[in-house]
Amino acid sequence: MIGLLKKEYYLMEGQMKSWLIVAVFCFFYSYFMNADSFLFMLIILIGIMSTMTVFSLDKACGWDTYAISLPLTRKEIVEARYLFAFLIDIGVSLACCLLMLLRGLIKGGVNIPESLHSLFQILLVTILMQLLLFPVIYKLGVEKARFVYMAVFICLSLGVLGLSQLDDNGAVLAGIRINAEKIMQYGEAAAVILAAAGLFLSLWLSVHIYEKQEF
């Protein structure tokens, strides 16, 4: 497992240097705009893009053909891919925390509990998206998975936008708004449970698909 994680790291090492440039840009943007939300978008940006990039690089260098000749099970190969993705998520989240605290020390005005809550929400969304993407990528490939990701992202964005634009006039719309607000109160707990259950389902699907592929 350690060897597989090192392989993932060396594969993404060049990409990580560009992440530093993006992080610097996001830091100064959040500094001058006095908001951490843009900074925290690094989590979902790097989390999703790194997930797709590592598959693309593997395909380009023929990793799968080589991997099946190693004394490793396909399940171990898939598990390492999942673990590395989550380690990146955690690492980027910690980096965002440090940048948030740095902004607070320099400029002040940082609501740490609220910012950490926002960071947790974005991290949770990132993990859920990755759990959806992994089986899709193993089944359809990276290019088609991009369309699936964009479709889900657009639908979620339109749903949130539509909810925010609901007119308070009328009992039906008012009822929808009230029920949506009640759901949101328990949304995070439900999302955590969904992520835990989704991890096992996503991993099982990915392993099942990968074991049936021929290279």
Side-chain angles (χ1 to χ4, degrees):
M1 181 64 72
I2 299 299
L4 288 172
L5 291 177
K6 286 183 177 180
K7 170 260 174 186
E8 299 287 308
Y9 171 77
Y10 292 137
L11 195 65
M12 295 298 297
E13 188 175 12
Q15 297 289 325
M16 292 178 181
K17 296 176 182 178
S18 64
W19 296 349
L20 293 176
I21 299 175
V22 177
V24 171
F25 171 78
C26 290
F27 172 75
F28 282 107
Y29 187 90
S30 65
Y31 178 85
F32 291 112
M33 296 300 292
N34 198 31
D36 292 318
S37 57
F38 190 81
L39 178 63
F40 294 160
M41 291 307 294
L42 272 174
I43 301 172
I44 193 167
L45 175 64
I46 293 178
I48 299 300
M49 294 307 298
S50 64
T51 299
M52 295 185 177
T53 300
V54 74
F55 277 96
S56 296
L57 294 175
D58 271 354
K59 183 178 179 180
C61 66
W63 158 252
D64 292 310
T65 304
Y66 172 73
I68 59 177
S69 67
L70 299 174
L72 298 168
T73 65
R74 297 199 181 193
K75 185 173 184 290
E76 289 175 329
I77 296 173
V78 174
E79 287 176 342
R81 178 62 50 83
Y82 273 73
L83 179 57
F84 184 75
F86 297 149
L87 288 175
I88 287 181
D89 295 340
I90 294 172
V92 175
S93 298
L94 292 175
C96 286
C97 283
L98 293 176
L99 291 175
M100 175 195 70
L101 294 175
L102 178 61
R103 187 181 76 82
L105 289 174
I106 297 175
K107 194 172 184 179
V110 175
N111 187 330
I112 294 179
E114 182 179 335
S115 294
L116 289 177
H117 184 235
S118 298
L119 184 147
F120 173 75
Q121 290 177 325
I122 294 176
L123 175 61
L124 197 55
V125 170
T126 302
I127 292 175
L128 288 172
M129 289 298 298
Q130 288 172 324
L131 293 178
L132 171 64
L133 277 175
F134 272 116
V136 175
I137 294 176
Y138 276 112
K139 182 65 177 179
L140 303 178
V142 176
E143 296 304 322
K144 292 182 180 179
R146 294 183 196 274
F147 291 105
V148 174
Y149 165 69
M150 291 303 299
V152 173
F153 183 80
I154 291 172
C155 289
L156 290 175
S157 300
L158 291 176
V160 173
L161 180 62
L163 182 62
S164 65
Q165 298 297 320
L166 282 179
D167 189 355
D168 283 330
N169 297 324
V172 175
L173 292 180
I176 293 175
R177 182 184 292 276
I178 292 172
N179 290 329
E181 290 176 352
K182 289 180 179 179
I183 292 173
M184 290 299 294
Q185 294 176 1
Y186 305 99
E188 288 182 17
V192 172
I193 296 173
L194 180 63
L199 173 60
F200 293 101
L201 177 60
S202 176
L203 183 59
W204 179 83
L205 285 173
S206 295
V207 172
H208 181 71
I209 294 168
Y210 192 60
E211 286 179 338
K212 290 193 172 185
Q213 289 180 339
E214 296 182 3
F215 303 102

